[in-house]
Amino acid sequence: MNQNLEQDRLAKQWSNEENWYEWGPYLSERQWGTVREDYSAEGEAWDSFPHDHARMRVYRWGEDGLAGISDETQTLCFALSLWNGKDPYLKERMFGLSNEQGNHGEDVKELYYYLDNTPTHSHMRMLYKYPQAAFPYEQLVEENANRSPHDPEFELLDTGIFKDRAYFDVEVSYAKNDTQDILIRIVVHNRGGQEATLHLLPTLWFRNRWAFHIEDEKPVIERVNDQQLRASHQRLGTYHFTFDSAQHVLMTENETNTERVFNHPNPSPFIKDAFHDAVTTSHYEPFSQQPTGTKAAPVYVITLGAGESREVRLRLSSNENADLGEDFEAVFNQRAEEADAFYAPLTEGLTEDDTRIKRQAWAGLLWSKQYYHYDVRRWLEGDVGQPIPPSERWSGRNSDWQHLNAEHIMIMPDKWEYPWFAAWDQAFQSIAVESIDLEFAKQQLYLHADPRYQSPDGRLPAYEWNFSDNNPPLRAAISWVFYKQELEFTGRKDYEFLSVMFDRLRPNYEWWINHASGVEDGLFQGGFLGLDNISLFDRSEDIPAGGTLDQADATAWVAAYTLSMMRIALELAQEKPEIYEPLSCYYFDQYLHISKALENIAKLWIDDDNPDSDNGFAYDILHLPSGEKLTIPLRSLVGLANLFAVMTVEREHIQKLPTFYEKVQEYLQHTASDNPCYCVINDNPERESLLFALLSAKQLERLSSFLFSEDEFLAPGGIRSLSAAYREPFAMEIAGEHKEIQYTPGESDSNMFGGNSNWRGPVWFPFNFFIVKSLEEFGNYYQDQVQVALPTGSDNQGNLKDAAAFLSARLWHAFRPDEKGLRPCYGKDTIYAEDPHFKDLILYYEHFDGDTSRGLGASHQTGWTALITRL
């Protein structure tokens, strides 16, 4: 019954009976330092709206907060503010370093953990660890400034501030009684050995739209009594905020402190950061007496002895009679039981710890939902009553994307480090969420292809720092996976979803064909394609000697894109052959064209007298102005991308489409060479399907010897991004320029693309996920025909499905505790094994050290590392 209740809520959500998504964890964890809030002439987003402004300056495009929630339009917001009695201001949001401050780019310097969440956000839990000593803001900034890119990052744990457990655990839980009735429980634990005091301010506020003339009528929060406030908004309606008795109830306005930010006198003391001064100086008036405002908070001064805890209850409801009475605990218990029941089938047979790993991954994925708003034209023009933005912006960042008007709830890669959508991140995230909320996953996948996002020429926006960058085109492949899995598990053929995605992706596919084609016909370019520093040089802007680069990965991605579009067209043609069979033939011809181009260019590195030279790798080709072609023979994920161009198609589906079937037969009988570099089609009469793939069985065997070699790609925690064979640098002389690259398993030692990501050795989950799924697809077809050593050099032989399972086990390694209780993702941070209040907490990092599996980069990149739940 409990399982069905969460499923029922999802069903009602997607049938539009009830809006369970009306409230959720939609606050960002960093709105400052974003492109949206940047109104500078030169596009210096970090300097235009720095962290020091965040507590005192009104945001234009969204809000951030600590463990908070908002409605789906981010009109009314709730989050925590904390003060330990030592800090210069309240802890109102997560602190971190800007890109220039960090020795590896931007980085959050806090400890917080997503513990649980359900798709409808009926049950949510999050934990924040707050030091009892003064938060080391200056030390974190100064120490990281003194470190070079070759040094490790200086983290909050490195300061020693959590020594002797002198910290508060602040656990925030939410339970929805109804779509507009949210129960809130905050439990504060003193983990230290001494008495300590915490000031807790659960804060309710309206986002300031009135200053920008987005809405005409200013909303209001007003006092009802000592334990209730009323928040009224012309569109949202009225909400009642009820809470346990507090020492003070403060009221102010969500208005910029113009005196501190712009050196202009404030017209009133009721400003955004008023509570900071009131609490830290104990001067609560006039804020404790003000009857109305747009920002309010009860103040709880909580003194706890060693090991003691205190619970505070609150409720935000459209029902004025909702209180903190007998149903409060019952609702929380019920929602927790329903969450357990909902996830039980998805964790059946797992150990307690593996279940915890999956549950917290799903929690982080759902907590990473964020309200995202960016209307590029209005951002360029500015708002009524506000300063006119500099004219330079009309020829600057995103000025050629004036049609883009994004306002949706999206899963972010990381709500602090990457609080903005990215095209391929969004695709990865949709895969991770699909198993728990298929319809939301479909919506996320579609968004970028929506006319409000997609460029008129078919291009999809990359990310707000530069919408015109290119990310690999993944949406067709994932659309097919969603369709196939829904058919398998429910029997439903969602032709509408498949056809809508197909129709929206057709112009994007043509963009790749017409605007990203390479020097060699049938090959493709694309710039860095999300792999920041993986090459000898910046593949977007630093091509040596004025040359151009035909890219192995871009070509492989377009080949995979072509196969996916072909497969979708074949499926749709089962119902409407007159429309979709000609399109399936078109994509088949394109696939043959790309594969022939790859076969031709591979002659640059394949030696006919040495069969082993055809090892399945593909390489970038640099075309110099002189006409010379240079192969970049670097073994990296770039050259492994041919693995992803694989698709099986049921024979009976092909035979129902005579024109397509005839083309396939004609190729097999008359066009296919005896020993092509790229096999293109494999038609084994003993199989029920045909295999379309760029790699042959022999190539797969040879490629696997590198893939599963611990001296090359195989790390303790997955497949490395660059071969470990380059512990000694790989170097080339290109037109008089010396270029080199070295295997770097940990943090990046390069500032390329900001320096906060490293593709020169670490393990990245999205690519590993696609490798696993490609090996499974090959394995389903070849069965025991292809055998590989796992790992290379061992006596353990297996087929490609065994290889996929072997790799999956390696990927789990990063999260499972060792014999000392320490998870490899935490490196040498032994507090996660020694402190009982840390040991069950799991972070899902952006990437992982290629030698040790230590977590690197963004620490809450659950958006894509939650792919662990699909392995």
Side-chain angles (χ1 to χ4, degrees):
M1 180 187 68
N2 287 336
Q3 176 191 349
N4 290 339
L5 288 174
E6 178 63 16
Q7 295 282 13
D8 286 350
R9 284 191 284 269
L10 276 176
K12 290 176 181 177
Q13 172 68 40
W14 291 109
S15 65
N16 294 317
E17 294 178 54
E18 297 175 357
N19 187 7
W20 283 93
Y21 287 170
E22 185 170 358
W23 285 85
Y26 306 144
L27 289 179
S28 178
E29 276 152 9
R30 178 175 62 81
Q31 184 70 14
W32 60 273
T34 61
V35 168
R36 283 153 287 152
E37 301 294 342
D38 172 25
Y39 282 79
S40 65
E42 303 301 324
E44 298 295 336
W46 292 104
D47 296 331
S48 177
F49 204 127
H51 174 264
D52 280 346
H53 283 192
R55 63 184 178 274
M56 61 186 74
R57 182 175 165 190
V58 168
Y59 291 127
R60 165 61 178 86
W61 295 97
E63 292 283 351
D64 57 18
L66 180 61
I69 60 173
S70 79
D71 68 280
E72 60 190 346
T73 63
Q74 204 146 101
T75 298
L76 185 59
C77 309
F78 170 86
L80 302 190
S81 295
L82 309 170
W83 189 53
N84 57 13
K86 312 285 195 330
D87 290 345
Y89 46 81
L90 305 183
K91 176 66 66 174
E92 203 173 42
R93 58 185 49 79
M94 306 294 183
F95 171 74
L97 305 183
S98 70
N99 183 267
E100 293 182 356
Q101 289 175 319
N103 62 323
H104 298 115
E106 61 268 31
D107 188 38
V108 68
K109 301 298 182 183
E110 301 273 12
L111 294 181
Y112 56 104
Y113 307 87
Y114 306 121
L115 302 181
D116 213 353
N117 209 326
T118 56
T120 63
H121 313 302
S122 59
H123 169 75
M124 303 192 294
R125 291 171 54 228
M126 181 175 169
L127 177 67
Y128 175 72
K129 290 184 178 288
Y130 188 32
Q132 292 171 2
F135 194 90
Y137 293 105
E138 293 182 3
Q139 184 184 6
L140 288 165
V141 172
E142 291 171 2
E143 181 59 34
N144 279 281
N146 291 331
R147 297 193 176 196
S148 77
H150 300 280
D151 296 322
E153 296 171 5
F154 185 68
E155 304 290 5
L156 184 59
L157 281 175
D158 297 327
T159 68
I161 202 165
F162 287 91
K163 185 180 179 182
D164 300 325
R165 301 181 187 172
Y167 62 89
F168 296 106
D169 269 346
V170 183
E171 184 176 344
V172 187
S173 302
Y174 299 90
K176 289 184 183 178
N177 185 48
D178 208 332
T179 60
Q180 297 181 344
D181 186 8
I182 304 107
L183 285 64
I184 308 165
R185 179 167 58 198
I186 304 167
V187 181
V188 180
H189 306 274
N190 177 7
R191 301 303 189 192
Q194 304 293 325
E195 182 180 270
T197 298
L198 176 73
H199 290 65
L200 168 66
L201 286 78
T203 306
L204 186 73
W205 75 98
F206 279 110
R207 177 173 152 215
N208 188 332
R209 281 188 167 100
W210 55 92
F212 306 97
H213 295 272
I214 303 169
E215 293 179 344
D216 296 330
E217 186 176 321
K218 184 178 177 180
V220 64
I221 302 174
E222 51 194 331
R223 298 176 189 269
V224 177
N225 54 51
D226 289 343
Q227 291 183 246
Q228 191 177 73
L229 303 172
R230 181 168 53 241
S232 303
H233 184 273
Q234 59 178 350
R235 172 177 44 78
L236 193 65
T238 300
Y239 276 83
H240 307 269
F241 185 44
T242 308
F243 42 87
D244 282 340
S245 179
Q247 281 91 335
H248 308 276
V249 180
L250 305 183
M251 191 80 72
T252 190
E253 298 289 348
N254 187 15
E255 298 278 8
T256 295
N257 185 333
T258 56
E259 183 175 327
R260 286 180 175 169
V261 177
F262 301 116
N263 202 28
H264 297 155
N266 289 312
S268 156
F270 300 102
I271 48 181
K272 181 177 178 178
D273 61 335
F275 298 169
H276 294 265
D277 292 337
V279 174
T280 58
T281 65
S282 297
H283 294 156
Y284 291 101
E285 294 184 1
F287 313 106
S288 59
Q289 305 299 319
Q290 179 73 359
T292 63
T294 49
K295 180 178 180 180
V299 180
Y300 299 92
V301 183
I302 301 172
T303 299
L304 300 172
E308 290 185 348
S309 303
R310 163 83 184 275
E311 177 181 307
V312 174
R313 295 182 173 189
L314 313 96
R315 191 165 187 165
L316 181 62
S317 178
S318 60
N319 178 3
E320 64 179 329
N321 297 316
D323 57 27
L324 308 177
E326 295 180 0
D327 71 330
F328 193 94
E329 194 67 26
V331 171
F332 263 101
N333 292 338
Q334 178 71 12
R335 294 295 179 263
E337 291 173 6
E338 291 164 7
D340 290 342
F342 175 79
Y343 286 115
L346 299 170
T347 56
E348 186 175 0
L350 297 182
T351 65
E352 180 181 359
D353 195 66
D354 282 357
T355 297
R356 181 180 298 112
I357 292 168
K358 280 200 170 189
R359 285 287 292 268
Q360 290 188 35
W362 281 315
L365 187 68
L366 295 171
W367 270 99
S368 295
K369 285 186 182 182
Q370 178 184 307
Y371 170 85
Y372 183 92
H373 188 197
Y374 187 14
D375 180 340
V376 173
R377 185 165 186 84
R378 186 157 187 172
W379 176 76
L380 290 168
E381 292 175 341
D383 292 293
V384 176
Q386 297 293 321
I388 298 174
S391 59
E392 292 91 336
R393 290 155 54 87
W394 288 97
S395 58
R397 176 178 288 136
N398 298 331
S399 58
D400 53 346
W401 286 82
Q402 293 178 36
H403 72 282
L404 192 144
N405 185 4
E407 187 175 12
H408 286 96
I409 302 299
M410 305 182 199
I411 296 178
M412 296 293 123
D414 178 313
K415 287 207 295 188
W416 195 96
E417 194 144 337
Y418 303 108
W420 29 262
F421 72 77
W424 73 330
D425 299 64
Q426 203 78 3
F428 297 138
Q429 292 149 202
S430 69
I431 299 172
V433 81
E434 182 263 347
S435 62
I436 55 174
D437 192 347
L438 173 61
E439 296 303 322
F440 184 78
K442 290 178 182 177
Q443 179 205 67
Q444 295 289 286
L445 195 63
Y446 168 76
L447 274 182
H448 281 70
D450 185 278
R452 289 167 289 183
Y453 293 72
Q454 188 174 20
S455 172
D457 66 1
R459 197 173 198 173
L460 301 185
Y463 41 78
E464 65 178 35
W465 290 92
N466 185 358
F467 283 137
S468 294
D469 269 347
N470 296 317
N471 282 170
L474 307 175
R475 279 167 171 71
I478 298 171
S479 297
W480 174 248
V481 169
F482 285 3
Y483 172 84
K484 191 169 63 172
Q485 291 189 343
E486 185 174 16
L487 177 61
E488 178 182 350
F489 290 111
T490 70
R492 181 190 178 206
K493 292 185 176 182
D494 192 351
Y495 280 120
E496 181 181 2
F497 165 72
L498 204 59
S499 62
V500 166
M501 289 301 302
F502 182 79
D503 290 343
R504 292 306 311 162
L505 290 174
R506 283 179 63 191
N508 177 248
Y509 180 85
E510 294 304 318
W511 183 90
W512 279 93
I513 295 297
N514 296 316
H515 296 279
S517 56
V519 176
E520 301 284 343
D521 188 26
L523 301 185
F524 293 88
Q525 302 175 358
F528 83 117
L529 286 176
L531 309 184
D532 299 16
N533 63 345
I534 201 167
S535 184
L536 286 165
F537 44 82
D538 182 340
R539 297 193 299 169
S540 291
E541 298 180 356
D542 189 28
I543 310 299
T548 55
L549 194 70
D550 286 349
Q551 296 176 218
D553 53 343
T555 304
W557 284 121
V558 175
Y561 197 179
T562 305
L563 282 179
S564 298
M565 293 294 280
M566 182 192 78
R567 184 65 190 90
I568 293 172
L570 287 171
E571 184 69 14
L572 295 173
Q574 303 301 307
E575 294 290 322
K576 295 181 178 180
E578 70 282 2
I579 298 175
Y580 292 104
E581 186 178 13
L583 290 169
S584 67
C585 293
Y586 167 74
Y587 291 112
F588 177 69
D589 288 340
Q590 291 284 3
Y591 170 61
L592 294 183
H593 183 63
I594 295 169
S595 63
K596 188 63 178 177
L598 281 168
E599 184 176 344
N600 290 336
I601 204 67
K603 295 173 184 177
L604 290 175
W605 62 80
I606 294 177
D607 181 355
D608 291 338
D609 296 327
N610 178 15
D612 288 341
S613 64
D614 183 9
N615 55 25
F617 277 97
Y619 303 110
D620 288 349
I621 304 297
L622 177 61
H623 298 267
L624 296 177
S626 64
E628 183 182 4
K629 300 177 186 178
L630 289 181
T631 302
I632 312 294
L634 185 69
R635 293 192 297 279
S636 71
L637 288 179
V638 168
L640 292 174
N642 280 339
L643 271 170
F644 308 145
V646 54
M647 180 71 68
T648 55
V649 184
E650 297 84 347
R651 191 183 309 276
E652 65 174 352
H653 278 191
I654 294 177
Q655 291 173 341
K656 290 178 180 178
L657 302 170
T659 305
F660 185 85
Y661 182 66
E662 183 180 338
K663 291 179 76 70
V664 171
Q665 291 302 309
E666 180 182 353
Y667 172 82
L668 291 171
Q669 295 169 16
H670 304 295
T671 308
S673 60
D674 293 333
N675 186 30
C677 296
Y678 295 96
C679 70
V680 184
I681 304 175
N682 195 308
D683 183 13
N684 185 335
E686 296 181 1
R687 303 284 189 263
E688 295 180 354
S689 301
L690 276 69
L691 178 72
F692 295 75
L694 292 180
L695 298 179
S696 67
K698 283 293 184 185
Q699 286 173 314
L700 286 167
E701 289 175 350
R702 292 171 185 154
L703 188 65
S704 294
S705 68
F706 291 89
L707 195 65
F708 294 108
S709 168
E710 293 174 327
D711 294 326
E712 291 265 358
F713 283 95
L714 185 63
I719 299 300
R720 300 173 174 119
S721 46
L722 181 70
S723 172
Y726 305 120
R727 293 183 190 274
E728 293 298 321
F730 171 88
M732 287 184 69
E733 295 294 325
I734 303 175
E737 295 182 48
H738 180 79
K739 300 289 184 181
E740 70 176 39
I741 189 172
Q742 185 172 18
Y743 171 73
T744 308
E747 285 92 349
S748 173
D749 59 4
S750 162
N751 288 324
M752 200 181 296
F753 287 91
N756 59 343
S757 297
N758 184 20
W759 291 85
R760 295 182 173 182
V763 172
W764 291 78
F765 257 73
F767 263 80
N768 275 263
F769 175 83
F770 280 123
I771 292 172
V772 167
K773 293 305 172 184
S774 296
L775 290 172
E776 288 177 350
E777 187 84 351
F778 278 115
N780 286 332
Y781 184 84
Y782 284 118
Q783 299 178 18
D784 291 332
Q785 179 182 342
V786 177
Q787 294 286 310
V788 298
L790 303 168
T792 299
S794 73
D795 295 330
N796 181 39
Q797 295 285 316
N799 60 33
L800 294 177
K801 289 183 70 175
D802 297 328
F806 176 83
L807 178 52
S808 293
R810 288 274 176 136
L811 290 162
W812 273 87
H813 162 81
F815 302 106
R816 287 174 170 152
D818 61 20
E819 64 279 359
K820 296 181 180 179
L822 184 60
R823 303 176 195 275
C825 63
Y826 291 133
K828 296 179 181 180
D829 288 331
T830 57
I831 193 171
Y832 285 97
E834 298 168 352
D835 187 329
H837 305 297
F838 272 82
K839 73 180 187 68
D840 290 337
L841 303 175
I842 304 162
L843 293 175
Y844 300 83
Y845 290 88
E846 183 179 3
H847 47 303
F848 298 83
D849 189 290
D851 289 343
T852 68
S853 298
R854 177 175 60 91
L856 305 169
S859 56
H860 294 74
Q861 189 94 357
T862 324
W864 65 24
T865 304
L867 287 167
I868 186 67
T869 63
R870 305 307 305 268
L871 299 175

